[in-house]
């Protein structure tokens, strides 16, 4: 759990701060890491000192910040820190430090420490959109990912100088969550989806009967939420198309939430997001039927028992399967109460999905509204992976582990 007090106690973390405008957010990262019990040693570059003052870190961190290779009597502070830390977090990481980390250029205390360590490194890039998209930066990031550096990808939003775009430092909560993942081995540290785009649907749709009534279902959206968060932790840019109000009101860090209500809303939101996605996961429980003609006023009892005529909705997964872009990985769910594998295999084939995650919603502790699930993940080649009763976070990890190798390139 990212916010359990003490979850990082005993861990020594070097917090590298470089000279981006987002350096002010590193103060929040520092405070949160200390709150979780970590021993935080800030290392500020010269450029960072133009953005934030050392006094703030002296007050909040576990040690006064280090700013130079030559500041104290220890002639090798970089090797000492590199050898004696459990992780190095660089937030924000400018294009310069990313380049130095890739080439091994040891030009100041932080870059020297990055070369002198075998501890896990977590880089949180922040820069203007043009810089983030530059092939030199993209190449450097790809090499660092190959070497096992965990990248906490930047988000979209307001950048320095009032520009809007992609490149804003990830939220401090997201950064700290990644650090906890790395240091507690809670999985999802692989950056295996860095540079990928993932669309997840979640929750049950509601089809109006009249202004106060609807046809709905028991889906809580928890499994979809867990999938969106896990994909984000692995470095993907994630769109969560959800019917669940709390996903809209309290969106998971770094995830773009598109709120929807009906199957038709979900169909159009998916149509907008899916064509450019590398992975689409239809975890939502979409209504199969909707009232043909919802009443615009409340249906009154004294009018007798209403006859509600239904029509089918579009099968979103099947239409995605029929128009699947080359290389896209399409994942459906199957909620079953009987003949689990047989029914799910039928859906896999009919809807042209690459994977179906089948769950027996009649089993104890499985499926709708529970925090746990047990699934069988069917592949289109007929093979299957079974995941025993586990948390929905663990199921999300297993689903991503299973589907990610199907991505090309
Ligand atoms: N699905 C969809 N659009 C629909 C209905 C379902 O995209 N109108 C998707 C679900 O999101 C899920 C998969 O299809 O990924 C299977 O959904 P499920 O409800 O298990 O099966 P159905 O196809 O609706 O068939 P049935 O209700 O007969 O089991």
């Amino acid at each position: 759990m990212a916010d359990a007090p003490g979850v990082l106690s005993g861990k020594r973390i070097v917090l590298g701060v470089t000279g981006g405008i987002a350096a002010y957010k590193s103060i929040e990262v520092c405070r949160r890491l200390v709150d979780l019990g970590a021993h935080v040693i800030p290392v500020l570059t010269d450029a960072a000192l133009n953005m934030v003052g050392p006094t703030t870190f002296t007050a909040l961190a576990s040690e006064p910040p280090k700013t130079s290779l030559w500041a104290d009597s220890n002639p090798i502070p970089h090797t000492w820190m590199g050898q004696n830390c459990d992780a190095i977090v660089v937030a924000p990481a400018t294009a310069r430090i990313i380049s130095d980390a890739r080439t091994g250029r040891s030009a100041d205390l932080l870059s020297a420490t990055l070369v002198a360590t075998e501890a896990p490194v977590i880089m949180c890039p922040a820069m203007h959109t043009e810089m983030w998209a530059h092939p030199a930066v993209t190449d450097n990031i790809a090499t660092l990912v190959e070497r096992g550096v965990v990248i906490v990808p930047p988000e979209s939003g307001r950048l320095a100088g009032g520009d809007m775009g992609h490149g804003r430092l990830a939220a401090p909560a997201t950064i700290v969550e990644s650090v906890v993942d790395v240091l507690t081995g809670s999985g999802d540290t692989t950056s295996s989806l860095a540079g990928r785009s993932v669309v997840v649907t979640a929750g049950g749709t509601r089809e109006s009967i009249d202004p106060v009534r609807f046809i709905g279902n028991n889906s809580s959206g928890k499994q979809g939420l867990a999938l969106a968060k896990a994909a984000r932790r692995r470095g993907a840019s994630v769109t969560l198309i959800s019917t669940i109000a709390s996903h809209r009101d309290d969106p998971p860090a770094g995830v773009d939430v598109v709120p929807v209500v009906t199957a038709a809303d979900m169909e159009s939101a998916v149509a907008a997001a899916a064509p450019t996605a590398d992975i689409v996961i239809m975890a939502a429980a979409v209504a199969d039927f909707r009232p043909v003609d919802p009443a615009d006023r409340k249906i009154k009892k004294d009018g007798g028992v209403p006859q509600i005529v239904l029509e089918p909705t579009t099968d979103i997964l099947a239409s995605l399967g029929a128009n699947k872009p080359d290389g896209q990985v399409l994942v459906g769910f199957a909620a079953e109460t009987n003949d689990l594998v047989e029914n799910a295999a039928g859906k896999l084939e009919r809807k042209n999905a690459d994977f179906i995650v089948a769950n027996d919603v009649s089993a104890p502790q499985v499926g709708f509204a529970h925090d746990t699930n047990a699934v069988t993940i069917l592949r289109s080649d007929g093979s299957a992976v079974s995941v025993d009763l586990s948390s929905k976070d663990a199921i999300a990890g297993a689903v991503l582990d299973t589907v990610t190798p199907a991505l090309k390139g």
Side-chain angles (χ1 to χ4, degrees):
M1 295 291 291
D3 51 1
V7 72
L8 294 179
S9 70
K11 303 292 184 191
R12 292 177 64 86
I13 299 175
V14 171
L15 174 62
V17 183
T18 63
I21 293 291
Y24 74 93
K25 291 191 193 166
S26 64
I27 295 165
E28 175 76 9
V29 172
C30 177
R31 190 190 59 77
R32 285 175 181 252
L33 292 173
V34 170
D35 284 353
L36 295 179
H39 181 99
V40 179
I41 309 152
V43 175
L44 275 62
T45 64
D46 284 350
L49 289 168
N50 288 311
M51 303 290 177
V52 283
T55 317
T56 317
F57 285 95
T58 304
L60 293 174
S62 317
E63 297 184 13
K66 300 192 184 305
T67 55
S68 163
L69 272 162
W70 317 111
D72 56 28
S73 52
N74 180 353
I76 47 167
H78 55 301
T79 46
W80 194 88
M81 273 194 296
Q83 287 163 356
N84 292 286
C85 70
D86 296 290
I88 301 182
V89 185
V90 185
T94 54
R96 194 277 296 175
I97 196 77
I98 290 167
S99 169
D100 284 356
R102 189 242 170 112
T103 59
R105 182 167 179 267
S106 160
D108 57 13
L109 180 58
L110 181 58
S111 54
T113 308
L114 285 167
V115 181
T117 195
E118 290 178 355
V121 174
I122 299 142
M123 288 263 186
C124 314
M127 61 197 78
H128 253 67
T129 311
E130 296 79 1
M131 295 174 76
W132 177 242
H134 193 283
V137 175
T138 312
D139 261 24
N140 289 340
I141 292 284
T143 304
L144 293 177
V145 168
E146 259 169 45
R147 290 182 195 153
V149 170
V150 173
I151 304 292
V152 182
E155 300 173 356
S156 294
R158 195 139 61 87
L159 304 170
D163 290 346
M164 295 295 289
H166 200 66
R168 187 173 73 168
L169 183 69
T174 310
I175 294 171
V176 171
E177 202 174 317
S178 294
V179 178
V180 172
D181 274 349
V182 169
L183 287 175
T184 62
S186 49
D188 293 348
T189 60
T190 58
S191 295
S192 54
L193 293 174
R196 302 292 192 172
S197 135
V198 175
V199 172
V200 181
T201 64
T205 62
R206 292 178 170 201
E207 312 302 327
S208 280
I209 296 171
D210 68 15
V212 296
R213 304 181 180 93
F214 59 84
I215 298 175
N217 61 64
N218 285 331
S219 171
S220 63
K222 288 181 179 175
Q223 188 62 75
L225 177 67
L227 281 159
K229 285 175 155 180
R232 174 66 186 159
R233 283 198 296 272
R234 291 173 184 218
S237 66
V238 180
T239 303
L240 175 63
I241 300 170
S242 174
T243 65
I244 307 296
S246 62
H247 297 174
R248 175 198 62 210
D249 298 340
D250 183 19
V255 171
D256 192 14
V257 176
V258 181
V260 293
V261 177
T262 65
D265 296 341
M266 186 166 279
E267 184 185 351
S268 16
V270 169
T276 52
D278 295 296
I279 302 178
V280 181
I281 306 178
M282 285 293 305
V286 187
D288 292 324
F289 304 102
R290 67 175 154 239
V292 174
D293 192 14
D296 50 14
R297 291 175 166 203
K298 186 182 176 199
I299 300 171
K300 302 299 281 181
K301 216 165 27 192
D302 53 15
V305 178
Q307 300 298 307
I308 300 166
V309 182
L310 303 179
E311 63 182 1
T313 58
T314 304
D315 188 320
I316 304 172
L317 179 62
S319 78
L320 289 169
N323 302 292
K324 195 155 40 120
D326 208 23
Q328 184 176 80
V329 174
L330 183 58
V331 185
F333 269 68
E336 306 294 345
T337 53
N338 53 283
D339 304 317
L340 179 74
V341 172
E342 197 184 328
N343 283 335
K347 287 176 191 174
L348 179 80
E349 196 181 330
R350 270 199 311 282
K351 304 191 188 204
N352 194 31
D354 300 298
F355 298 88
I356 288 276
V357 182
N359 51 8
D360 177 353
V361 288
S362 66
Q365 301 303 312
V366 170
F368 295 143
H370 295 296
D371 289 321
T372 48
N373 208 351
V375 300
T376 302
I377 308 167
L378 309 184
R379 297 191 180 91
S380 53
D381 65 5
S383 62
V385 177
S386 287
V387 190
D388 294 340
L389 192 68
S390 340
S391 70
K392 287 190 170 172
D393 287 331
I395 299 281
V399 169
L400 294 180
D401 286 348
T402 308
V403 310
T404 301
L407 287 168
K408 295 208 180 94

